[in-house]
Every structure is written in C-alpha cells, then in structure tokens.
Amino acid sequence: MFLAVAQSLNFAQAAVSLGLGQPTVSQHIRKFEQAVGRPLLVRDTRSVILTVDGEAMVVDAGAADPARFSASEPLCHFGSDGVPGGSVAAAY
C-alpha cells in the first residue's frame, strides 16, 4: 500500500489501483507511519511528497526483492486492531 502511494504520490490514485477507498488507504498509511515511528510522506491539500525516510523505505523495498513488490500489493498488512502483521522490517 505504501508503495502504491509512493509511486503515484496521490492517495486517490493509489486507492483506485488497490481497489480500496481513499480513506482506507490514508488510515493504513498513517498507522504504518506510526508503526515505523516516523513520517514517510508529507501531505498538504494539493500534493504528496516523500520524506527522506519515505524515499529510503522505497529504495529498501525495491532492494529487498523487486519482484515481490508492486503498486497493487500492500506493503504492510494490518490486523483488525490496526497493528501491522509481523515486524515492520518484514513488511518491506
């Protein structure tokens, strides 16, 4: 999910590519940032940009196994309690 937003730099476009609603994507990204402990994206009313940490996360995700990640796959799966499944390191 994070990679979909990072690639499009647009929550609505990422949501469409994932087949989800934009509020769901926003909520998952917010919870993922909380789990990581730092902001990965800077949002305002007109744009989304990656932070330095967000850029590093994208690079790390691609370096881990590029074939494993695509914009249509969530970077991290969240349980019903909103906590990422597995460790954050395993998520990327």
mmCIF file of all heavy atoms in Angstrom, residues 5-6 8-13 22 26 29 33 40-51:
data_model
loop_
_atom_site.group_PDB
_atom_site.id
_atom_site.type_symbol
_atom_site.label_atom_id
_atom_site.label_comp_id
_atom_site.label_asym_id
_atom_site.label_seq_id
_atom_site.Cartn_x
_atom_site.Cartn_y
_atom_site.Cartn_z
ATOM 1 N N VAL A 5 1.154 4.470 -2.964
ATOM 2 C CA VAL A 5 1.100 5.912 -2.714
ATOM 3 C C VAL A 5 2.430 6.550 -3.112
ATOM 4 O O VAL A 5 2.457 7.606 -3.750
ATOM 5 C CB VAL A 5 0.763 6.219 -1.240
ATOM 6 C CG1 VAL A 5 0.818 7.721 -0.971
ATOM 7 C CG2 VAL A 5 -0.612 5.668 -0.876
ATOM 8 N N ALA A 6 3.533 5.916 -2.768
ATOM 9 C CA ALA A 6 4.855 6.466 -3.085
ATOM 10 C C ALA A 6 5.063 6.576 -4.596
ATOM 11 O O ALA A 6 5.673 7.533 -5.069
ATOM 12 C CB ALA A 6 5.951 5.605 -2.468
ATOM 13 N N SER A 8 2.613 6.819 -6.994
ATOM 14 C CA SER A 8 1.687 7.757 -7.627
ATOM 15 C C SER A 8 1.736 9.148 -7.003
ATOM 16 O O SER A 8 1.324 10.121 -7.631
ATOM 17 C CB SER A 8 0.258 7.228 -7.547
ATOM 18 O OG SER A 8 -0.188 7.186 -6.204
ATOM 19 N N LEU A 9 2.219 9.225 -5.760
ATOM 20 C CA LEU A 9 2.196 10.462 -4.988
ATOM 21 C C LEU A 9 0.789 11.068 -4.969
ATOM 22 O O LEU A 9 0.601 12.285 -5.009
ATOM 23 C CB LEU A 9 3.232 11.471 -5.498
ATOM 24 C CG LEU A 9 4.680 11.026 -5.348
ATOM 25 C CD1 LEU A 9 5.621 12.053 -5.953
ATOM 26 C CD2 LEU A 9 5.019 10.770 -3.886
ATOM 27 N N ASN A 10 -0.181 10.155 -4.874
ATOM 28 C CA ASN A 10 -1.580 10.571 -4.883
ATOM 29 C C ASN A 10 -2.390 9.489 -4.183
ATOM 30 O O ASN A 10 -2.432 8.344 -4.647
ATOM 31 C CB ASN A 10 -2.037 10.772 -6.326
ATOM 32 C CG ASN A 10 -3.430 11.305 -6.426
ATOM 33 O OD1 ASN A 10 -4.383 10.652 -5.993
ATOM 34 N ND2 ASN A 10 -3.566 12.482 -7.025
ATOM 35 N N PHE A 11 -3.033 9.833 -3.078
ATOM 36 C CA PHE A 11 -3.796 8.851 -2.315
ATOM 37 C C PHE A 11 -4.987 8.312 -3.101
ATOM 38 O O PHE A 11 -5.282 7.123 -3.051
ATOM 39 C CB PHE A 11 -4.269 9.444 -0.987
ATOM 40 C CG PHE A 11 -3.218 9.441 0.082
ATOM 41 C CD1 PHE A 11 -2.283 10.453 0.167
ATOM 42 C CD2 PHE A 11 -3.150 8.405 0.998
ATOM 43 C CE1 PHE A 11 -1.306 10.446 1.143
ATOM 44 C CE2 PHE A 11 -2.172 8.386 1.990
ATOM 45 C CZ PHE A 11 -1.257 9.417 2.057
ATOM 46 N N ALA A 12 -5.677 9.175 -3.833
ATOM 47 C CA ALA A 12 -6.852 8.737 -4.591
ATOM 48 C C ALA A 12 -6.450 7.767 -5.698
ATOM 49 O O ALA A 12 -7.100 6.735 -5.892
ATOM 50 C CB ALA A 12 -7.596 9.939 -5.161
ATOM 51 N N GLN A 13 -5.391 8.072 -6.427
ATOM 52 C CA GLN A 13 -4.926 7.178 -7.492
ATOM 53 C C GLN A 13 -4.450 5.846 -6.914
ATOM 54 O O GLN A 13 -4.718 4.784 -7.481
ATOM 55 C CB GLN A 13 -3.801 7.827 -8.293
ATOM 56 C CG GLN A 13 -4.274 8.932 -9.197
ATOM 57 C CD GLN A 13 -3.114 9.594 -9.926
ATOM 58 O OE1 GLN A 13 -1.965 9.169 -9.840
ATOM 59 N NE2 GLN A 13 -3.414 10.665 -10.643
ATOM 60 N N GLN A 22 -10.165 5.820 -0.676
ATOM 61 C CA GLN A 22 -9.078 6.709 -0.280
ATOM 62 C C GLN A 22 -8.954 6.836 1.234
ATOM 63 O O GLN A 22 -7.834 6.825 1.755
ATOM 64 C CB GLN A 22 -9.268 8.071 -0.954
ATOM 65 C CG GLN A 22 -8.181 9.081 -0.665
ATOM 66 C CD GLN A 22 -8.448 9.886 0.595
ATOM 67 O OE1 GLN A 22 -9.599 10.175 0.926
ATOM 68 N NE2 GLN A 22 -7.395 10.230 1.304
ATOM 69 N N SER A 26 -5.487 6.126 3.359
ATOM 70 C CA SER A 26 -4.934 7.150 4.251
ATOM 71 C C SER A 26 -4.756 6.619 5.666
ATOM 72 O O SER A 26 -3.719 6.836 6.299
ATOM 73 C CB SER A 26 -5.846 8.378 4.285
ATOM 74 O OG SER A 26 -5.876 9.004 3.034
ATOM 75 N N ILE A 29 -1.835 4.090 5.813
ATOM 76 C CA ILE A 29 -0.533 4.760 5.716
ATOM 77 C C ILE A 29 -0.215 5.457 7.041
ATOM 78 O O ILE A 29 0.911 5.385 7.537
ATOM 79 C CB ILE A 29 -0.502 5.758 4.539
ATOM 80 C CG1 ILE A 29 -0.638 5.023 3.199
ATOM 81 C CG2 ILE A 29 0.761 6.615 4.583
ATOM 82 C CD1 ILE A 29 0.474 4.041 2.879
ATOM 83 N N GLU A 33 3.014 4.598 9.315
ATOM 84 C CA GLU A 33 3.978 5.602 9.773
ATOM 85 C C GLU A 33 4.127 5.559 11.293
ATOM 86 O O GLU A 33 5.242 5.689 11.806
ATOM 87 C CB GLU A 33 3.545 6.998 9.324
ATOM 88 C CG GLU A 33 3.704 7.229 7.840
ATOM 89 C CD GLU A 33 3.182 8.569 7.384
ATOM 90 O OE1 GLU A 33 2.065 8.949 7.801
ATOM 91 O OE2 GLU A 33 3.893 9.238 6.607
ATOM 92 N N LEU A 40 6.618 9.243 6.623
ATOM 93 C CA LEU A 40 7.170 8.790 5.346
ATOM 94 C C LEU A 40 6.711 9.670 4.191
ATOM 95 O O LEU A 40 7.320 9.672 3.128
ATOM 96 C CB LEU A 40 6.762 7.339 5.085
ATOM 97 C CG LEU A 40 7.189 6.341 6.158
ATOM 98 C CD1 LEU A 40 6.588 4.968 5.876
ATOM 99 C CD2 LEU A 40 8.702 6.268 6.259
ATOM 100 N N LEU A 41 5.617 10.401 4.428
ATOM 101 C CA LEU A 41 5.038 11.271 3.414
ATOM 102 C C LEU A 41 4.714 12.621 4.028
ATOM 103 O O LEU A 41 4.364 12.708 5.204
ATOM 104 C CB LEU A 41 3.737 10.668 2.869
ATOM 105 C CG LEU A 41 3.829 9.290 2.233
ATOM 106 C CD1 LEU A 41 2.452 8.669 2.113
ATOM 107 C CD2 LEU A 41 4.499 9.381 0.879
ATOM 108 N N VAL A 42 4.832 13.664 3.221
ATOM 109 C CA VAL A 42 4.367 14.988 3.607
ATOM 110 C C VAL A 42 3.148 15.257 2.752
ATOM 111 O O VAL A 42 3.204 15.169 1.526
ATOM 112 C CB VAL A 42 5.440 16.076 3.360
ATOM 113 C CG1 VAL A 42 4.887 17.454 3.669
ATOM 114 C CG2 VAL A 42 6.685 15.790 4.169
ATOM 115 N N ARG A 43 2.026 15.558 3.409
ATOM 116 C CA ARG A 43 0.781 15.783 2.697
ATOM 117 C C ARG A 43 0.335 17.219 2.895
ATOM 118 O O ARG A 43 0.472 17.775 3.974
ATOM 119 C CB ARG A 43 -0.329 14.886 3.254
ATOM 120 C CG ARG A 43 0.019 13.445 3.404
ATOM 121 C CD ARG A 43 -0.681 12.919 4.669
ATOM 122 N NE ARG A 43 -0.560 11.500 4.882
ATOM 123 C CZ ARG A 43 0.434 10.922 5.528
ATOM 124 N NH1 ARG A 43 1.411 11.640 6.027
ATOM 125 N NH2 ARG A 43 0.468 9.628 5.685
ATOM 126 N N ASP A 44 -0.219 17.783 1.851
ATOM 127 C CA ASP A 44 -0.981 19.021 2.001
ATOM 128 C C ASP A 44 -2.205 18.880 1.102
ATOM 129 O O ASP A 44 -2.458 17.808 0.567
ATOM 130 C CB ASP A 44 -0.138 20.277 1.720
ATOM 131 C CG ASP A 44 0.308 20.427 0.281
ATOM 132 O OD1 ASP A 44 -0.338 19.864 -0.622
ATOM 133 O OD2 ASP A 44 1.296 21.131 0.042
ATOM 134 N N THR A 45 -2.957 19.935 0.943
ATOM 135 C CA THR A 45 -4.211 19.812 0.203
ATOM 136 C C THR A 45 -4.011 19.570 -1.286
ATOM 137 O O THR A 45 -4.926 19.124 -1.958
ATOM 138 C CB THR A 45 -5.076 21.078 0.395
ATOM 139 O OG1 THR A 45 -4.312 22.214 -0.014
ATOM 140 C CG2 THR A 45 -5.510 21.221 1.838
ATOM 141 N N ARG A 46 -2.829 19.816 -1.797
ATOM 142 C CA ARG A 46 -2.594 19.679 -3.238
ATOM 143 C C ARG A 46 -1.529 18.673 -3.632
ATOM 144 O O ARG A 46 -1.417 18.334 -4.807
ATOM 145 C CB ARG A 46 -2.209 21.030 -3.828
ATOM 146 C CG ARG A 46 -3.330 22.017 -3.746
ATOM 147 C CD ARG A 46 -2.932 23.308 -4.393
ATOM 148 N NE ARG A 46 -4.071 24.198 -4.379
ATOM 149 C CZ ARG A 46 -4.442 24.903 -5.412
ATOM 150 N NH1 ARG A 46 -3.753 24.856 -6.528
ATOM 151 N NH2 ARG A 46 -5.487 25.683 -5.324
ATOM 152 N N SER A 47 -0.740 18.208 -2.693
ATOM 153 C CA SER A 47 0.353 17.323 -3.104
ATOM 154 C C SER A 47 0.748 16.362 -1.992
ATOM 155 O O SER A 47 0.415 16.547 -0.827
ATOM 156 C CB SER A 47 1.582 18.146 -3.519
ATOM 157 O OG SER A 47 2.106 18.838 -2.413
ATOM 158 N N VAL A 48 1.457 15.333 -2.419
ATOM 159 C CA VAL A 48 2.058 14.348 -1.516
ATOM 160 C C VAL A 48 3.503 14.209 -1.963
ATOM 161 O O VAL A 48 3.776 14.026 -3.152
ATOM 162 C CB VAL A 48 1.345 12.986 -1.608
ATOM 163 C CG1 VAL A 48 2.044 11.951 -0.753
ATOM 164 C CG2 VAL A 48 -0.118 13.109 -1.234
ATOM 165 N N ILE A 49 4.430 14.329 -1.021
ATOM 166 C CA ILE A 49 5.836 14.101 -1.354
ATOM 167 C C ILE A 49 6.431 13.146 -0.320
ATOM 168 O O ILE A 49 5.960 13.051 0.805
ATOM 169 C CB ILE A 49 6.664 15.407 -1.430
ATOM 170 C CG1 ILE A 49 6.639 16.149 -0.102
ATOM 171 C CG2 ILE A 49 6.187 16.291 -2.554
ATOM 172 C CD1 ILE A 49 7.595 17.334 -0.051
ATOM 173 N N LEU A 50 7.443 12.435 -0.744
ATOM 174 C CA LEU A 50 8.134 11.516 0.150
ATOM 175 C C LEU A 50 9.107 12.280 1.035
ATOM 176 O O LEU A 50 9.788 13.196 0.578
ATOM 177 C CB LEU A 50 8.918 10.480 -0.655
ATOM 178 C CG LEU A 50 8.095 9.466 -1.430
ATOM 179 C CD1 LEU A 50 8.970 8.748 -2.447
ATOM 180 C CD2 LEU A 50 7.443 8.481 -0.493
ATOM 181 N N THR A 51 9.175 11.888 2.301
ATOM 182 C CA THR A 51 10.225 12.399 3.178
ATOM 183 C C THR A 51 11.505 11.642 2.837
ATOM 184 O O THR A 51 11.488 10.675 2.069
ATOM 185 C CB THR A 51 9.876 12.175 4.653
ATOM 186 O OG1 THR A 51 9.831 10.763 4.894
ATOM 187 C CG2 THR A 51 8.559 12.827 5.045
#
